[in-house]
Amino acid sequence: MPTDYRYDYSRRDPRLPPPVDRALEHAPIPEDVRLGMYRKLQELRQFGKRAHDLFLQNLVKGTTHLSLGMEAVATGFGAAMRPGDYSFATYRGHAHSLARGVDPGAALAELLGRENGVLGGKGGSMHLTDVAKGMMGSYAIIGAHLCIANGAAWSAQMRGTEQVAVAFFGDGTTNIGAFHEALNMAQVWKLPVVFVCENNLYMEYTPIDLVTAVEHPAAGRAASYGMEPIVVDGNDPDAVYLVATRVLERARRGAGPSLVEAITYRSGGHSRADPGKYRPAAEVEAWAGHDPIPLYHSRLLAVGVPEATLGTIQREVAEVVDAATEFARAGREPGEPSLLTEVFADGGSRWRN
Amino acid sequence: MPTDYRYDYSRRDPRLPPPVDRALEHAPIPEDVRLGMYRKLQELRQFGKRAHDLFLQNLVKGTTHLSLGMEAVATGFGAAMRPGDYSFATYRGHAHSLARGVDPGAALAELLGRENGVLGGKGGSMHLTDVAKGMMGSYAIIGAHLCIANGAAWSAQMRGTEQVAVAFFGDGTTNIGAFHEALNMAQVWKLPVVFVCENNLYMEYTPIDLVTAVEHPAAGRAASYGMEPIVVDGNDPDAVYLVATRVLERARRGAGPSLVEAITYRSGGHSRADPGKYRPAAEVEAWAGHDPIPLYHSRLLAVGVPEATLGTIQREVAEVVDAATEFARAGREPGEPSLLTEVFADGGSRWRN
Amino acid sequence: MAELTYREAVAHGIAQEMRRDPSLVMLGEDIAAAGGVFKTTVGLLDEFGPLRVRDTPISEQAIIGAAMGAAMTGVPVIAEIMFSDFLAVCWDMIANELAKSRYMTNGQVSFPMVIRTANGGGARFGAQHSQSVENWAMMIPGLKVVAPATPVDVVGLMAASIRDPDPVVFFEHKSLMAAKGTVPDGEVVDRLGTARVVKEGTDLTIVALALMVPRALEAAARLDEAGISAEVIDVRSLVPLDAQTILESVSRTGRLFTVEENPRMCGWGAEVVSIVDEEVFWDLDGPSIRITTPHIPLPAAAALEDMAIPGVNRIYETILKSVDGPGEAR
Amino acid sequence: MAELTYREAVAHGIAQEMRRDPSLVMLGEDIAAAGGVFKTTVGLLDEFGPLRVRDTPISEQAIIGAAMGAAMTGVPVIAEIMFSDFLAVCWDMIANELAKSRYMTNGQVSFPMVIRTANGGGARFGAQHSQSVENWAMMIPGLKVVAPATPVDVVGLMAASIRDPDPVVFFEHKSLMAAKGTVPDGEVVDRLGTARVVKEGTDLTIVALALMVPRALEAAARLDEAGISAEVIDVRSLVPLDAQTILESVSRTGRLFTVEENPRMCGWGAEVVSIVDEEVFWDLDGPSIRITTPHIPLPAAAALEDMAIPGVNRIYETILKSVDGPGEAR
Ligand SMILES: Cc1ncc(C[n+]2csc(CCOP(=O)(O)OP(=O)(O)O)c2C)c(N)n1
Ligand SMILES: Cc1ncc(C[n+]2csc(CCOP(=O)(O)OP(=O)(O)O)c2C)c(N)n1
Ligand SMILES: [Mg+2]
Ligand SMILES: [Mg+2]
């Protein structure tokens, strides 16, 4: 039986990006916030590219999942969140970590499996965590962290702190059971939690629409949980920032959870050295034309930021990422002692006397 | 801290049954089908009461979950299904088993843990199964069987047999992850499967509305799976039969899955000797006035069936249930040999040489 | 001193700790208004109110996730999973997330939480509501595992589990719910990782857990009559494991028998045998014997279930045969 | 005779069976168009088409359920769970439904299905993508459990698993994917429940599984040089377990060493030790020793992961020390 052409996913009709919303030029976003977002975008992009290079140099072992092309979601939310808020991410968690202020050097060192990594090398690329920064963890098995984010939100609710928990996840994650359980409980308990689906159109190598009963994997399910269906251009930092501000405020004042679907696209592969060939060339190309960095660059020029300011930011970030790389490469391999630490809260791993 | 009155669930506002739909008197349902449904209703009711008596006599050990008051759902679907169709039920599976023609004696013997039980005593009250009758099992852990029903439907689709799989489950089951996974996959694969939620307003001892984000635990989620929201009076056999006929036909012709929410009520407790005291008295009373048996009795009289015909059916069923009881009580306790059989397909349980 | 049932001891132990620590909360299906399907949480809603004792939807993954997220942000939690069989429904949350997150984050997160669950057979509930799954938890690094056999141990080990900064899976045995015992007045706090010699003996050591403890004791009494002096150890806590108490006893008696309710393969007793074998082999006077449920799902019928789970007779006969057996003669 | 990698052997074995049985189907995440994330199913979509080789949503419970429902209605199925760690996400389906339904229904339903999954460490994926969880499956009555170490065993045991009328959990080791070996032309069909003596020896017996087999062999070669003759057994199938081959070997050599990739507690090796202890105790010349990953989650960093998982050196040193040790002197 010859394979139906539809199973060569690269030959399907391309799914195109939305047009840039020019009206956002007039959005009420202070310039310092915008410049901060531009800096963050640059940091996430340059960090991601560096991680990719180091992977190709075989310095990042195992696997790594980059957010190249998807940086605006982490950026917009990162800018809207408060320091005490909680972030929960997937294996694709570098951008979300940096967006909360995790040190790029410690993050890169973790990818390299070094002792000076943010997890001492024990967690690796898929598990970046920095509790001091509100980055409560990157979880590599689909679904669980939505439930855990609920718990952090429940705790904030009980402690009356106005903290909000935000869980980031992919389109593919909307089809796992834990998604359903988490969203229902969040609404029933009116938890201060925001669920952010980064819909990059692919669940690994499979187009999301081929495995999902509705067009919008997240927004199309919002009504099941008494939530508003929210779809946003995930490549536009301003658009994301505005939505983030709104849903965070809602959560903070006790009005309950929200579900946001941010449409975006990976410019690279799913992980490691995946060339992403299962995607139509026209699609990859169209989304390259909707990349958040040139998009936001133009936006800032349009609202009057001088080109030179942006150039300076780019160069400053480049220095930061170079320094981070130095820091990471200079780290030692973790040694025997740390192997058996931190299984239990006494610091060790003793399971018997 | 004194407990909020809302946590004495028996003091909440009662949730009332829908009015009887008198128009259904004119539904195009042949009289023999109606008389068959009346007989089945009687069988399910009398069987349920007998099981309850035997439980109180300590002859049914462990636990048992009855469908008293809820018989019209199993009856309506049972009448609409074809012999080759597949049924999948929960621990509350007696009615669904009998509705597919499982022998009441073998079912009762199983409840009594006897060798002549339909499972030889190995499964017990929560696991009634009779593959020869299309009763593909009763599953006691919430959620799983919706996924398994998909598989039977997938198999029918591949084999091109026009069989349909029907999964029955409670309102509480709509909040578990497997529900979500099953419904999504069913729609994506256009499986000939029907999901039937028996919404009896309670998840065990907790009112379903207190733990569910939407008013209709099933129908309120249908849109998430590209399905039509269907709510039916689950205490009216004709209403259930009509809906069942429609969704089964839809599945059979390849148009895909459906989700039906049948509103009903347990007249008794959740399991064992639960008196169901967590429910408002007015609610219990109102639903007693909407019991499927008097409802259908009146319906049949209204459409011209003589009282005597119904009386005869009742008595015939009473004899069947008495004979079933005799059969069950006469069964022997299963013996040592059967303990170690049927773990594996060779009939035994050897896990080593 | 009060005489409590095992079931009452659960609520008693929880109440003691909720009074002590006002931040301690609990959640689970039907635990609040209904007091739990095993009536182990009766009275807690009334005393501590609906914000600290919460009914949940049937969403075990969400339950464990809520507990984890709260615990890692400073709120200690008791989560109930109604039957231990249902741990399977949220096994990813427990085995992959809860157990591993501290290690993966190099100690950045802590989970002061207890997962309580009704475990074990004897209630004629059939294969999906009767399992003894202590080994499921024991095999996952990062979890602590407790299974008390008496009311006083329920209270003391519950307190210890709640005060422990690590996640503890706390197995309450369904067939012990009605068992009675005295519990001292005032605060009762025990220690995890301590086994108890519940009967001293010199000829052989029986290691048992939960429901198997009273059965082992009864078998030991009959062995006494037969002139065989059996020591009986109640393991109480599988992780941390009090290996010293077991090793010391077996070194002295020279023989080990485990009594396990779980189906045989990879039960906790296998681990105990392998530790004993590795560490005190030269003190052994004969093979270590495991008395377990056969490697089958549990049947529902009373007659069958009673044959499956180790009973006093089987324990007694197995031991008697083994110490009289041809091995010894050699 | 063809030289195949372990990874190619998977597709080769499946293709052999899909050609034989036109009703056999498979499903899983990214198995069709992408050929699997480990490239173990490359070419199957092209040969057998999208109706027999299906990509699924990320819905592991629905995947196992679909396989179960199809299998019980006469369609044999191969289901892939991408990483064995994810078995936890659908553990209820596997441990409570799939494994128990035949028994509970007294044999009314059969599940001719295979759950394939990538297992084990060494790939620096960290704690949630690296576990060796053969014991998770072994401890559940009703499941069969297979873990091949070589390409030819992948093909032969895959065929045997597919033809077996019971559910088989088939563990494919991530760190063996690139290993090469010859596979005979024509149909290759092996038998479940047969271990293989991969190296004969007289002084002691090493029992190993999957990735631990080549390491045990290498350690045994070094022991040979040190004048110690080790027999190495590749268990291949944990359920059914070829206890005879193990017992016969240990009876002959007098010493047992298990090499397990799993964290220590309740590993398959504990079960093997307990069987050996119970049945051939009097033939033992010293303690049985288990060489395992410590009881910790697996770390991601290469340096740490290599310390955690038993390597040739650790196997060699442990055995050397143990056979020279004070015990022997006694
Ligand atoms: C429960 C589970 N199943 C499968 C996987 C393997 N897996 C890792 S990433 C991925 C695709 C996820 O897609 P999506 O949620 O869209 O996130 P994206 O990678 O696109 O950001 C899959 C299937 C997993 N990690 N967890
Ligand atoms: C996964 C799981 N969690 C909890 C239970 C315990 N339990 C048995 S019945 C029940 C309530 C089910 O409510 P619903 O789905 O409405 O069905 P009903 O009993 O009302 O028919 C619960 C919580 C279970 N069997 N499985
Ligand atoms: Mg995606
Ligand atoms: Mg209900």
Side-chain angles (χ1 to χ4, degrees):
Chain A
M1 188 196 318
T3 300
D4 191 301
Y5 84 91
R6 282 167 303 166
Y7 294 86
D8 179 350
Y9 300 146
S10 72
R11 294 174 59 193
R12 299 175 79 231
D13 287 341
R15 294 183 59 183
L16 303 178
V20 177
D21 181 357
R22 298 292 304 269
L24 285 169
E25 284 171 18
H26 313 294
I29 303 176
E31 186 171 296
D32 64 326
V33 170
R34 278 184 154 149
L35 289 176
M37 289 204 281
Y38 186 79
R39 182 180 296 276
K40 200 47 92 175
L41 270 185
Q42 283 290 345
E43 183 187 329
L44 306 192
R45 174 63 53 92
Q46 295 189 33
F47 179 97
K49 284 187 159 168
R50 183 60 48 86
H52 187 66
D53 291 347
L54 294 169
F55 187 88
L56 294 181
Q57 290 167 44
N58 202 24
L59 280 165
V60 177
K61 314 277 182 189
T63 186
T64 197
H65 301 75
L66 306 175
S67 293
L68 293 170
M70 301 167 55
E71 297 92 345
V73 185
T75 297
F77 266 90
M81 288 170 79
R82 289 190 191 161
D85 290 341
Y86 300 120
S87 291
F88 291 83
T90 68
Y91 48 87
R92 198 182 302 288
H94 308 170
H96 298 292
S97 300
L98 299 180
R100 295 305 305 284
V102 174
D103 177 65
L108 215 42
E110 187 59 33
L111 269 56
L112 267 57
R114 302 298 165 88
E115 202 178 46
N116 56 344
V118 66
L119 314 170
K122 280 167 149 173
S125 172
M126 297 202 282
H127 298 292
L128 297 188
T129 305
D130 191 346
V131 168
K133 296 284 178 3
M135 179 64 206
M136 305 305 286
S138 305
Y139 300 81
I141 303 183
I142 300 286
H145 73 294
L146 282 72
C147 298
I148 307 173
N150 269 352
W154 180 37
S155 150
Q157 184 187 59
M158 289 189 286
R159 290 179 287 110
T161 57
E162 299 202 341
Q163 292 163 290
V164 179
V166 182
F168 301 93
F169 54 93
D171 44 285
T173 304
T174 63
N175 291 325
I176 197 136
F179 167 86
H180 180 66
E181 295 192 13
L183 272 80
N184 183 64
M185 185 183 274
Q187 181 67 287
V188 170
W189 291 10
K190 286 272 175 282
L191 297 177
V193 59
V194 176
F195 301 100
V196 183
C197 175
E198 303 185 278
N199 181 359
N200 62 10
L201 314 188
Y202 290 83
M203 152 212 153
E204 234 165 32
Y205 316 127
T206 300
I208 191 64
D209 58 298
L210 291 184
V211 291
T212 309
V214 288
E215 187 196 341
H216 282 290
R221 268 78 177 258
S224 272
Y225 314 106
M227 298 184 198
E228 180 194 350
I230 301 176
V231 178
V232 64
D233 180 350
N235 281 14
D236 189 326
D238 286 343
V240 173
Y241 176 80
L242 291 176
V243 163
T245 305
R246 174 160 74 87
V247 294
L248 288 164
E249 185 274 329
R250 184 185 148 81
R252 244 184 268 291
R253 73 174 140 86
S258 300
L259 173 63
V260 174
E261 179 171 327
I263 312 285
T264 181
Y265 203 74
R266 276 192 261 113
S267 57
H270 168 73
S271 68
R272 297 198 265 187
D274 166 33
K277 286 289 178 215
Y278 39 86
R279 303 184 301 182
E283 185 179 280
V284 175
E285 201 181 321
W287 282 90
H290 192 65
D291 183 287
I293 296 221
L295 184 160
Y296 209 49
H297 197 101
S298 307
R299 167 86 38 81
L300 293 190
L301 296 182
V303 302
V305 176
E307 177 82 56
T309 307
L310 301 180
T312 305
I313 291 176
Q314 272 180 52
R315 279 190 303 280
E316 284 170 3
V317 169
E319 279 163 27
V320 167
V321 171
D322 283 343
T325 311
E326 280 318 297
F327 174 82
R329 297 188 66 138
R332 285 187 313 190
E333 306 248 14
E336 178 104 45
S338 88
L339 181 69
L340 301 179
T341 61
E342 296 298 353
V343 177
F344 293 118
D346 65 3
S349 62
R350 281 185 73 79
W351 50 269
R352 55 168 286 188
N353 62 13
Chain B
M1 187 194 319
T3 300
D4 191 301
Y5 85 91
R6 280 169 304 167
Y7 293 88
D8 179 351
Y9 299 147
S10 72
R11 295 174 58 191
R12 300 176 78 231
D13 288 341
R15 293 183 60 186
L16 302 178
V20 177
D21 182 356
R22 298 291 305 266
L24 285 169
E25 285 173 17
H26 314 295
I29 303 176
E31 187 173 295
D32 62 326
V33 170
R34 279 184 154 149
L35 289 176
M37 289 203 282
Y38 185 79
R39 180 179 298 274
K40 200 47 92 176
L41 271 186
Q42 283 290 345
E43 184 187 328
L44 307 192
R45 174 65 53 92
Q46 295 188 32
F47 180 96
K49 285 188 160 168
R50 183 60 48 85
H52 188 65
D53 293 346
L54 294 169
F55 187 86
L56 294 182
Q57 291 167 43
N58 203 24
L59 280 165
V60 176
K61 315 277 182 189
T63 186
T64 196
H65 301 74
L66 306 176
S67 293
L68 292 171
M70 301 168 56
E71 296 93 343
V73 185
T75 296
F77 266 89
M81 289 170 78
R82 289 190 191 162
D85 291 341
Y86 300 120
S87 291
F88 292 83
T90 67
Y91 49 88
R92 198 182 302 290
H94 307 170
H96 298 293
S97 300
L98 299 181
R100 296 305 306 284
V102 175
D103 178 64
L108 217 42
E110 188 60 33
L111 268 55
L112 267 56
R114 302 298 165 88
E115 201 179 48
N116 56 345
V118 65
L119 314 169
K122 281 166 148 174
S125 171
M126 298 202 283
H127 297 293
L128 298 188
T129 305
D130 190 346
V131 169
K133 296 283 177 3
M135 179 63 207
M136 304 305 286
S138 304
Y139 299 82
I141 303 183
I142 299 285
H145 74 293
L146 281 72
C147 298
I148 307 173
N150 269 352
W154 181 35
S155 150
Q157 184 187 61
M158 289 190 285
R159 290 180 287 110
T161 57
E162 300 202 341
Q163 291 162 289
V164 179
V166 182
F168 302 93
F169 54 93
D171 44 285
T173 304
T174 63
N175 291 326
I176 196 135
F179 168 87
H180 181 66
E181 295 192 12
L183 271 81
N184 183 65
M185 185 183 274
Q187 180 67 287
V188 170
W189 290 10
K190 286 273 176 281
L191 297 177
V193 60
V194 176
F195 300 100
V196 183
C197 175
E198 303 184 279
N199 181 359
N200 61 10
L201 314 188
Y202 289 84
M203 151 212 154
E204 236 163 31
Y205 317 126
T206 301
I208 191 65
D209 58 298
L210 291 184
V211 291
T212 309
V214 289
E215 187 196 342
H216 282 290
R221 269 77 177 259
S224 272
Y225 314 105
M227 297 185 199
E228 181 196 347
I230 301 175
V231 178
V232 64
D233 180 349
N235 281 13
D236 188 326
D238 286 344
V240 174
Y241 176 81
L242 291 176
V243 164
T245 304
R246 174 160 74 86
V247 295
L248 288 164
E249 185 274 330
R250 186 183 145 82
R252 242 184 268 292
R253 74 176 139 86
S258 300
L259 173 62
V260 174
E261 179 172 328
I263 313 286
T264 181
Y265 203 74
R266 275 194 263 112
S267 56
H270 168 72
S271 68
R272 297 198 265 186
D274 167 33
K277 287 288 177 218
Y278 38 85
R279 303 184 300 181
E283 185 178 282
V284 175
E285 200 182 321
W287 282 90
H290 194 64
D291 184 287
I293 296 220
L295 184 160
Y296 209 47
H297 197 100
S298 308
R299 169 85 40 78
L300 293 191
L301 296 183
V303 302
V305 177
E307 177 82 57
T309 306
L310 301 180
T312 304
I313 291 176
Q314 274 181 47
R315 281 190 304 278
E316 284 170 4
V317 168
E319 279 163 29
V320 167
V321 171
D322 283 343
T325 310
E326 280 318 298
F327 174 81
R329 297 188 68 139
R332 287 187 311 189
E333 306 247 16
E336 177 105 46
S338 89
L339 182 69
L340 301 179
T341 61
E342 295 299 352
V343 176
F344 292 119
D346 64 3
S349 61
R350 281 186 74 78
W351 50 268
R352 56 168 287 189
N353 62 14
Chain C
M1 280 302 233
E3 174 100 346
L4 293 185
T5 60
Y6 187 100
R7 126 174 37 247
E8 287 163 349
V10 174
H12 185 87
I14 294 172
Q16 168 186 302
E17 295 304 301
M18 292 189 79
R19 282 176 210 131
R20 181 187 59 84
D21 181 355
S23 70
L24 179 62
V25 296
M26 53 188 298
L27 80 170
E29 295 159 18
D30 296 309
I31 63 158
V37 294
F38 292 101
K39 298 291 171 205
T40 43
T41 53
V42 169
L44 298 173
L45 173 66
D46 282 342
E47 180 169 355
F48 303 105
L51 293 179
R52 294 182 65 194
V53 182
R54 295 199 79 149
D55 280 330
T56 69
I58 309 178
S59 306
E60 279 79 3
Q61 296 186 80
I63 291 171
I64 300 298
M68 279 183 69
M72 77 199 280
T73 54
V75 177
V77 186
I78 304 171
E80 176 177 307
I81 298 297
M82 195 184 287
F83 285 74
S84 64
D85 314 70
F86 311 163
L87 294 174
V89 177
C90 49
W91 195 235
D92 175 57
M93 301 299 306
I94 297 173
N96 290 334
E97 315 296 340
L98 176 61
K100 294 177 173 45
S101 290
R102 162 175 285 275
Y103 187 81
M104 293 195 303
T105 63
N106 205 16
Q108 289 188 53
V109 291
S110 276
F111 299 98
M113 61 183 264
V114 176
I115 301 175
R116 297 173 43 242
T117 188
N119 190 50
R124 290 73 172 96
F125 287 162
Q128 294 189 330
H129 282 69
S130 306
Q131 293 172 86
S132 288
V133 301
E134 303 94 342
N135 57 338
W136 293 20
M138 186 182 188
M139 70 182 179
I140 306 295
L143 301 177
K144 291 179 176 170
V145 185
V146 174
T150 64
V152 65
D153 277 4
V154 167
V155 178
L157 293 173
M158 179 73 77
S161 299
I162 290 169
R163 296 182 192 195
D164 196 279
D166 290 309
V168 178
V169 186
F170 192 92
F171 290 99
E172 300 164 8
H173 202 292
K174 291 193 279 293
S175 288
L176 289 171
M177 290 293 171
K180 284 188 175 156
T182 53
V183 175
D185 295 335
E187 194 177 82
V188 180
V189 188
D190 206 325
R191 274 203 315 138
L192 302 189
T194 53
R196 180 179 294 139
V197 177
V198 286
K199 173 184 175 303
E200 296 190 353
T202 52
D203 294 336
L204 57 91
T205 301
I206 307 177
V207 179
L209 189 75
L211 180 65
M212 297 298 102
V213 174
R215 296 189 182 184
L217 277 171
E218 216 178 310
R222 285 178 53 189
L223 287 166
D224 267 343
E225 287 164 26
I228 297 163
S229 167
E231 179 145 310
V232 180
I233 295 176
D234 177 355
V235 189
R236 305 194 326 140
S237 152
L238 289 169
V239 183
L241 181 71
D242 183 356
Q244 288 314 322
T245 296
I246 296 169
L247 291 167
E248 186 280 318
S249 173
V250 177
S251 288
R252 195 161 27 75
T253 65
R255 287 300 299 274
L256 168 65
F257 294 85
T258 66
V259 187
E260 301 163 56
E261 190 177 331
N262 48 258
R264 167 157 186 145
M265 271 195 280
C266 300
W268 59 264
E271 187 60 44
V272 168
V273 167
S274 83
I275 293 169
V276 163
D277 200 273
E278 198 156 329
E279 304 191 22
V280 297
F281 177 81
W282 300 106
D283 296 330
L284 291 175
D285 298 329
S288 299
I289 306 286
R290 295 174 58 207
I291 301 163
T292 75
T293 292
H295 205 66
I296 57 170
L298 270 184
L304 293 174
E305 192 180 29
D306 287 341
M307 283 176 229
I309 299 176
V312 175
N313 253 331
R314 177 138 68 95
I315 301 169
Y316 171 76
E317 303 282 353
T318 306
I319 295 177
L320 196 66
K321 209 173 97 197
S322 168
V323 294
D324 285 353
E328 209 67 353
R330 231 170 103 156
Chain D
M1 280 305 234
E3 176 101 344
L4 292 185
T5 60
Y6 188 99
R7 130 176 31 249
E8 288 163 348
V10 173
H12 185 86
I14 294 172
Q16 169 187 301
E17 294 304 301
M18 292 190 79
R19 282 176 210 130
R20 181 187 57 84
D21 180 355
S23 69
L24 178 62
V25 297
M26 53 188 297
L27 81 170
E29 295 159 19
D30 296 309
I31 63 160
V37 294
F38 292 101
K39 299 288 171 207
T40 43
T41 53
V42 168
L44 297 175
L45 173 66
D46 283 341
E47 181 170 355
F48 302 105
L51 294 180
R52 294 183 64 193
V53 183
R54 294 199 81 150
D55 280 331
T56 69
I58 308 178
S59 307
E60 279 79 2
Q61 297 186 79
I63 290 170
I64 300 298
M68 278 183 69
M72 78 198 281
T73 54
V75 177
V77 185
I78 304 171
E80 177 176 306
I81 298 297
M82 196 183 285
F83 285 74
S84 64
D85 314 70
F86 311 163
L87 293 175
V89 177
C90 50
W91 195 236
D92 174 57
M93 300 300 306
I94 297 174
N96 290 333
E97 315 296 339
L98 176 61
K100 295 178 173 42
S101 291
R102 163 176 285 277
Y103 187 80
M104 293 196 303
T105 63
N106 205 13
Q108 289 188 52
V109 292
S110 275
F111 299 99
M113 60 183 266
V114 176
I115 301 174
R116 298 173 41 243
T117 188
N119 190 51
R124 288 74 171 96
F125 287 162
Q128 294 189 331
H129 282 69
S130 305
Q131 294 171 85
S132 288
V133 301
E134 303 93 341
N135 57 338
W136 295 19
M138 187 181 188
M139 70 181 179
I140 306 296
L143 300 176
K144 292 179 174 169
V145 185
V146 174
T150 64
V152 66
D153 277 3
V154 167
V155 178
L157 292 174
M158 179 73 76
S161 300
I162 291 168
R163 296 183 192 194
D164 196 278
D166 291 309
V168 178
V169 186
F170 192 93
F171 290 99
E172 298 164 9
H173 202 294
K174 290 193 279 292
S175 287
L176 289 171
M177 289 294 173
K180 283 188 178 160
T182 54
V183 175
D185 295 335
E187 195 178 78
V188 179
V189 188
D190 207 325
R191 273 202 315 137
L192 304 188
T194 53
R196 181 180 292 137
V197 177
V198 286
K199 173 184 175 302
E200 295 188 352
T202 52
D203 294 336
L204 58 90
T205 301
I206 307 177
V207 179
L209 190 74
L211 180 64
M212 298 297 101
V213 174
R215 296 188 183 183
L217 276 171
E218 217 176 309
R222 285 176 52 190
L223 287 166
D224 267 342
E225 287 164 26
I228 296 162
S229 167
E231 180 143 310
V232 180
I233 295 177
D234 177 355
V235 189
R236 305 195 324 143
S237 152
L238 289 169
V239 184
L241 180 70
D242 184 356
Q244 287 315 322
T245 295
I246 296 170
L247 290 167
E248 186 280 318
S249 173
V250 178
S251 290
R252 195 161 27 76
T253 64
R255 287 301 298 275
L256 167 65
F257 294 84
T258 65
V259 187
E260 302 161 56
E261 190 176 331
N262 47 260
R264 168 158 183 143
M265 271 195 280
C266 300
W268 59 263
E271 187 59 44
V272 168
V273 168
S274 83
I275 294 169
V276 163
D277 199 272
E278 197 156 330
E279 303 191 24
V280 298
F281 177 80
W282 301 106
D283 296 330
L284 291 175
D285 298 328
S288 298
I289 306 284
R290 295 174 57 205
I291 302 162
T292 75
T293 292
H295 204 66
I296 57 170
L298 270 184
L304 293 174
E305 191 180 30
D306 286 341
M307 282 177 230
I309 299 177
V312 175
N313 254 330
R314 178 139 66 94
I315 301 169
Y316 171 77
E317 303 283 353
T318 306
I319 295 177
L320 197 66
K321 210 173 96 197
S322 166
V323 294
D324 285 353
E328 209 65 354
R330 227 169 109 156

